[in-house]
Amino acid sequence: MGCGMNSPNLNIRPAPPMIRQLDEAAANRIAAGEVVERPASAVKELVENALDAGARRIEIAQADGGKTLIRVADDGHGIPEDQLPLALARHATSKTDGSDLLAIASFGFRGEALPSLGAVGRLTLTSRVAGAAAAQIGVAGGQPGPVRPAALGAGSVVELRDLFHATPARLKFLRSDRAEAQAIADTVRRLALSAPGVGFSLRDVSGGGEGRIVFRADPETGPQPLAARIARVLGRGFLDGALPIETEREGIRLSGFTGLPTEARGAAVAQHFFVNGRPVRDKLLLGALRGAYADLLARDRHPACVLRLDCDPRCVDVNVHPAKAEVRFRDPGVVRGLVIAALRHALAEAGCRGSASLATATLAAFRPAGAAAGGSQPPRAAQPGVLSAVRAAQAPEFPPGSVPGFAGLAEAPVAAVAAEAAPSESGPLGAARAQLFGTYVLAEAADGLVLVDAHAAHERLVYERLKAQQAASGIVMQPLLVPEIVELSADAAARLLEHAEELGRVGVQIEAFGPAAIAVRALPAALGAVPAAPILQDVLDEISDGGGGESVQARLDAILSCIACHGSVR
């Protein structure tokens, strides 16, 4: 009986859970989880509101990575005083009447940004329309306050303090202040590319005061505003190594710039797509970009591009996700075909054009002697010994015995087989006999022939040598007689200088040289005479792609691999 009394009565079922209507504050906090993932998301929403308001200048300020302060000021048309409370209500917007959600011509249209931000932070909205006085309204804990008079010249100012104070658990998932500040800067630069005619400025006011300017781009008014804005945001080097794109098919227009294969990056950090002016990270467009470069790039290299896709708003659905970073095309096959065809056509027309470092004077050196004067000369037969000397000069320049695995590589002629080095006396990869196409080493082993990619093999050897030096006594640096000056964008230079200590540990000594340049003082001695600019560009891509989440040693190994690649035989 005792056991029966303690057992549950199967005839008594628990009451079903009750369905409750969530209050407005809880609903706003839930909506904020979709719209505002991090401080950069809040900046994106507020800047897009300013662009929709017709602003010509937008000033952004952030403190502590946006966690304590985000302020966005614009000179747009403003909000009338009697509509300020409505601007903070959910699903209230002036950008659409809701009758046709397929014809969205503005950045925002959901009416969720301001109420969502007010639900997770302390928001103050100050605005003034032409011919009226300025007014201000605040939100604390999701509850709007009264409308008060304020002082403002024109436009609107939105100030968001203590982001996620109402949801403290969200703060634990944010990254460091530096990482969040970098995400905000990336967001502002991407929006600056989408609107070349609008001026942007980003200021870091951590610690109070006026702070410092992190990014600034004045409105572009020249004949090619997009090109001028790209040069300002991504650097002049991007344009020098890029091809213009301008094509149209079935009412869809593709324009912008795409990078040459020789200017590919080590990570997909320089791929910018805009659909009707909206920055997107769409899988269809990214896949089309990879398809266009599939036969031209290695799998670990990524092209750079700034491409704008303009079409009828009814041909694209931007109402896919609250963050509006993804879109859906009515005819994705046409869009994909347009992108692939346009990029492949531009790359094919580029012909033998290489990177920007391949100057016109270099190409002119290959012309016949009479070509400059408009005449032509018949080809002359090579003098005895010239071909042998040329072939010998193309061989890898290794000192005898410096490359383990090969025997007699430095002494082996290019076209002839040296009988002195028997396979039995060779290293693990055989005895080097010839160099093919300036790329591959043909080695004779005891049981056959071995074809080795000289660059890949040497890269591995240099990488292991650098790692061994670093573990033993530190990498030996070779000071440069004349420091090499590398021109970069201001944010890229600042990002490299933040990692100057780590670069010094791998043998690269750098220092600031103005606001947008780096002076390279020393390079690893094991590399020999190599240019510093490609090394710094790949290191910058590695830092940007890593995001700071990996260990210091992992970052050092990644940087060493980039250095080893540039220091290996070509």
Side-chain angles (χ1 to χ4, degrees):
M1 290 294 294
C3 292
M5 293 180 62
N6 293 332
S7 61
N9 190 340
L10 301 180
N11 294 326
I12 301 178
R13 298 181 179 179
M18 295 182 62
I19 299 177
R20 299 180 178 86
Q21 179 73 43
L22 294 177
D23 58 25
E24 186 175 356
N28 285 339
R29 286 196 295 270
I30 294 174
E34 297 178 341
V35 178
V36 186
E37 301 175 358
R38 58 192 305 189
S41 303
V43 172
K44 171 181 175 294
E45 295 292 337
L46 295 178
V47 173
E48 287 181 348
N49 281 347
L51 291 173
D52 286 338
R56 304 302 299 173
R57 290 189 178 273
I58 302 175
E59 298 179 356
I60 306 104
Q62 62 86 16
D64 303 319
K67 300 174 185 177
T68 59
L69 171 67
I70 294 174
R71 182 172 60 245
V72 177
D74 66 74
D75 59 353
H77 53 61
I79 303 174
E81 178 180 350
D82 58 342
Q83 295 184 18
L84 286 177
L86 191 59
L88 301 178
R90 290 189 66 199
H91 307 306
T93 178
S94 62
K95 300 160 188 176
T96 179
D97 58 3
S99 61
D100 189 359
L101 293 180
L102 296 179
I104 303 297
S106 57
F107 283 101
F109 57 91
R110 292 173 174 267
E112 291 181 332
L114 291 179
S116 297
L117 294 174
V120 295
R122 297 182 175 90
L123 184 140
T124 302
L125 170 60
T126 308
S127 189
R128 179 182 182 181
V129 297
Q136 183 181 90
I137 187 172
V139 182
Q143 299 298 324
V147 178
R148 296 187 176 92
L152 184 66
S156 301
V157 177
V158 181
E159 190 173 272
L160 179 64
R161 294 185 177 271
D162 302 327
L163 184 62
F164 297 135
H165 83 94
T167 54
R170 297 288 298 276
L171 288 173
K172 300 179 181 179
F173 292 91
L174 295 182
R175 295 162 63 184
S176 65
D177 292 352
R178 177 185 296 178
E180 296 297 341
Q182 185 60 49
I184 291 175
D186 291 340
T187 298
V188 174
R189 285 194 295 269
R190 193 174 299 111
L191 289 167
L193 287 174
S194 70
V198 180
F200 290 81
S201 68
L202 173 61
R203 187 181 296 270
D204 187 348
V205 294
S206 302
E210 291 295 325
R212 62 184 180 90
I213 293 291
V214 177
F215 171 78
R216 182 183 180 88
D218 295 326
E220 304 295 345
T221 58
Q224 293 184 328
L226 179 58
R229 179 55 58 88
I230 290 175
R232 178 65 186 86
V233 176
L234 302 180
R236 174 59 61 179
F238 177 88
L239 286 179
D240 293 340
L243 302 173
I245 303 294
E246 189 74 33
T247 186
E248 186 173 352
R249 178 191 297 177
E250 298 185 22
I252 302 176
R253 181 172 176 265
L254 180 67
S255 60
F257 295 85
T258 188
L260 290 165
T262 50
E263 299 291 338
R265 305 296 184 88
V269 294
Q271 298 174 356
H272 303 276
F273 282 97
F274 304 91
V275 177
N276 289 342
R278 182 190 306 275
V280 298
R281 293 290 296 177
D282 187 72
K283 294 180 180 179
L284 172 69
L285 297 176
L286 294 175
L289 180 65
R290 288 193 300 269
Y293 284 83
D295 297 333
L296 303 173
L297 290 179
R299 296 183 60 184
D300 59 343
R301 304 298 292 177
H302 303 270
C305 70
V306 177
L307 295 175
R308 297 174 59 94
L309 206 67
D310 296 292
C311 62
D312 188 337
R314 298 178 183 275
C315 297
V316 57
D317 183 9
V318 299
N319 193 21
V320 177
H321 189 272
K324 301 184 287 293
E326 301 176 7
V327 295
R328 183 176 298 143
F329 294 98
R330 177 184 297 179
D331 197 341
V334 172
V335 175
R336 176 180 172 83
L338 173 64
V339 173
I340 293 179
L343 297 186
R344 286 184 175 176
H345 180 71
L347 292 170
E349 282 192 338
C352 63
R353 179 181 170 188
S355 63
S357 59
L358 187 61
T360 305
T362 306
L363 290 175
F366 289 92
R367 297 175 183 170
S376 60
Q377 293 182 351
R380 295 180 297 176
Q383 297 295 327
V386 172
L387 291 180
S388 300
V390 171
R391 291 167 180 160
Q394 294 176 352
E397 298 178 357
F398 297 134
S402 64
V403 182
F406 292 101
L409 178 58
E411 297 85 3
V414 175
V417 176
E420 299 84 32
S424 59
E425 302 173 359
S426 65
L429 294 179
R433 298 305 192 192
Q435 185 184 26
L436 306 178
F437 309 112
T439 303
Y440 301 99
V441 174
L442 182 63
E444 181 184 3
D447 55 351
L449 297 177
V450 180
L451 193 63
V452 181
D453 186 332
H455 172 73
H458 195 204
E459 180 180 346
R460 168 57 64 177
L461 295 173
V462 173
Y463 177 66
E464 294 296 341
R465 186 187 310 152
L466 291 175
K467 288 185 65 177
Q469 287 183 5
Q470 181 191 10
S473 58
I475 295 177
V476 179
M477 288 191 295
Q478 174 63 53
L480 301 181
L481 182 61
V482 178
E484 183 173 347
I485 308 302
V486 180
E487 297 285 344
L488 299 167
S489 60
D491 62 286
R495 198 178 310 178
L496 277 176
L497 291 173
E498 290 176 358
H499 295 78
E501 182 178 354
E502 294 176 11
L503 290 174
R505 293 168 61 180
V506 297
V508 180
Q509 184 179 0
I510 63 173
E511 64 182 32
F513 191 81
I518 294 291
V520 181
R521 295 287 183 181
L523 290 173
L527 301 185
V530 295
I535 297 178
L536 291 188
Q537 185 60 64
D538 270 7
V539 169
L540 182 63
D541 291 342
E542 192 65 44
I543 293 172
S544 303
D545 191 44
E550 67 276 18
S551 64
V552 174
Q553 186 58 46
R555 288 202 301 271
L556 292 178
D557 289 344
I559 294 172
L560 280 179
S561 66
C562 295
I563 295 174
C565 175
H566 290 279
S568 302
V569 65
R570 297 291 175 179

